[in-house]
Amino acid sequence: MSFFNKVFASLGIGAAKVDTKLEKSSYHAGETMKGVVEIHGGNVEQHIDEIYLTIHTTYIRESDDKKWTDYATIEQIRITESFTIGPNEEKIIPFELQLPIDTPVTYGNTRVWVATGLDIKNAVDPKDQDYIEVKPNRLTDAVLSALTDLGFYIREVECKEAPHSLRKKYPFVQEFELIPVNGPFRGKLDELEVMFFHHSTSECEIILEVDRRARGLGGFLAEALNLDESLIRLTIQESDVPKLTNNFQEIITRYT
């Protein structure tokens, strides 16, 4: 085995390569992802300590009136024990990975991807990444559909750094910003922000931020002091889906 081949492999030249192939590219949050990891041996034998899959997403951080994009880890799993791969050898390792129920949907600028890494001691670790589309699960979709029925339109969706009061498993929260373009709340609200905190596939906590439209001097003063906004917390279950539109209309009307 050439000494120079070993040195080059440690620098990533002629080393093992990894390629992850997912069964499909679009998933609902909470769905099981299936696929295979293909490892292609390089010019020399290499010992691989582990192969890990990591789900990442992007979110916006803000400081000193500046914004920048950061990324967070949603989930990480190890899919193999250590093994050795010979020169030009190929290995195919099947896997299953559940996409967490609280994975953000890929609306707007939000990106979600699966990164595959090979942990090789004293060498550059080969990596591969695959972007996926994440669709809303049933409860999220039902809530957004009910708000659409009430005349709301999704204007912006963004993952933002969460304040400590809202920070749970991740350092961010995904906000859906909607505006009333028709229906009972047009002209009464500036916008409605919705945040989802999933407990399971059948139960979800929701925070609604209702931003009332300013009316007259008192309204403009309230807006200036942020008194025109109300936070509403509620829990949605699977059994609530058929009556969501009526429930939201009653709740939002109280704060309009």
Side-chain angles (χ1 to χ4, degrees):
M1 188 182 298
S2 166
F3 169 77
F4 289 104
N5 281 345
K6 287 184 177 180
V7 172
F8 289 148
S10 70
L11 298 173
I13 303 171
K17 299 184 183 302
V18 61
D19 183 21
T20 295
K21 294 181 178 178
L22 297 169
E23 190 175 59
K24 55 184 182 177
S25 60
S26 180
Y27 298 88
H28 290 87
E31 187 177 349
T32 298
M33 307 169 63
K34 297 180 181 180
V36 297
V37 175
E38 296 181 352
I39 305 103
H40 305 274
N43 296 333
V44 297
E45 180 181 276
Q46 289 183 290
H47 184 75
I48 297 173
D49 291 327
E50 64 178 6
I51 299 177
Y52 51 90
L53 298 177
T54 309
I55 301 174
H56 294 293
T57 191
T58 53
Y59 70 101
I60 303 299
R61 297 182 63 188
E62 187 171 354
S63 179
D64 299 326
D65 296 324
K66 294 181 180 179
K67 293 183 179 182
W68 66 92
T69 301
D70 205 343
Y71 73 92
T73 297
I74 300 295
E75 185 70 280
Q76 184 177 74
I77 64 165
R78 179 182 180 182
I79 63 170
T80 63
E81 301 295 332
S82 61
F83 64 93
T84 298
I85 188 164
N88 301 314
E89 182 183 358
E90 292 191 2
K91 287 184 180 291
I92 298 178
I93 302 172
F95 68 86
E96 290 189 5
L97 170 62
Q98 185 170 14
L99 192 62
I101 191 67
D102 44 9
T103 302
V105 299
T106 49
Y107 283 166
N109 294 323
T110 302
R111 298 289 178 267
V112 175
W113 67 96
V114 180
T116 310
L118 268 62
D119 189 358
I120 302 177
K121 190 174 182 180
N122 300 323
V124 175
D125 295 343
K127 289 182 172 61
D128 177 46
Q129 63 182 39
D130 299 271
Y131 286 88
I132 61 173
E133 177 189 18
V134 181
K135 299 178 181 180
N137 59 32
R138 174 168 163 74
L139 282 183
T140 300
D141 189 59
V143 168
L144 296 175
S145 294
L147 293 173
T148 300
D149 290 342
L150 291 172
F152 286 96
Y153 171 78
I154 298 177
R155 177 167 61 185
E156 185 177 28
V157 181
E158 194 170 54
C159 288
K160 298 180 181 179
E161 185 174 19
H164 288 289
S165 60
L166 294 179
R167 190 169 296 191
K168 296 190 178 182
K169 185 178 178 182
Y170 307 125
F172 66 86
V173 62
Q174 187 169 38
E175 292 183 356
F176 291 76
E177 184 180 296
L178 301 95
I179 55 173
V181 294
N182 52 58
F185 301 108
R186 184 184 180 196
K188 296 180 180 180
L189 299 181
D190 278 337
E191 64 182 24
L192 179 71
E193 291 186 357
V194 187
M195 291 166 277
F196 296 87
F197 300 91
H198 291 277
H199 299 155
S200 68
T201 55
S202 58
E203 184 176 279
C204 177
E205 180 186 357
I206 295 175
I207 294 181
L208 300 177
E209 183 173 309
V210 180
D211 188 355
R212 294 178 292 277
R213 184 178 293 275
R215 297 187 185 90
L217 179 59
F220 283 114
L221 288 173
E223 190 172 74
L225 297 172
N226 287 329
L227 299 177
D228 61 325
E229 296 178 351
S230 299
L231 283 179
I232 308 164
R233 290 178 180 261
L234 61 151
T235 299
I236 302 295
Q237 297 181 338
E238 191 78 30
S239 58
D240 297 320
V241 169
K243 50 191 176 182
L244 275 180
T245 301
N246 289 336
N247 287 352
F248 278 130
Q249 183 167 358
E250 291 177 5
I251 291 169
I252 297 172
T253 298
R254 294 179 209 156
Y255 296 87
T256 301

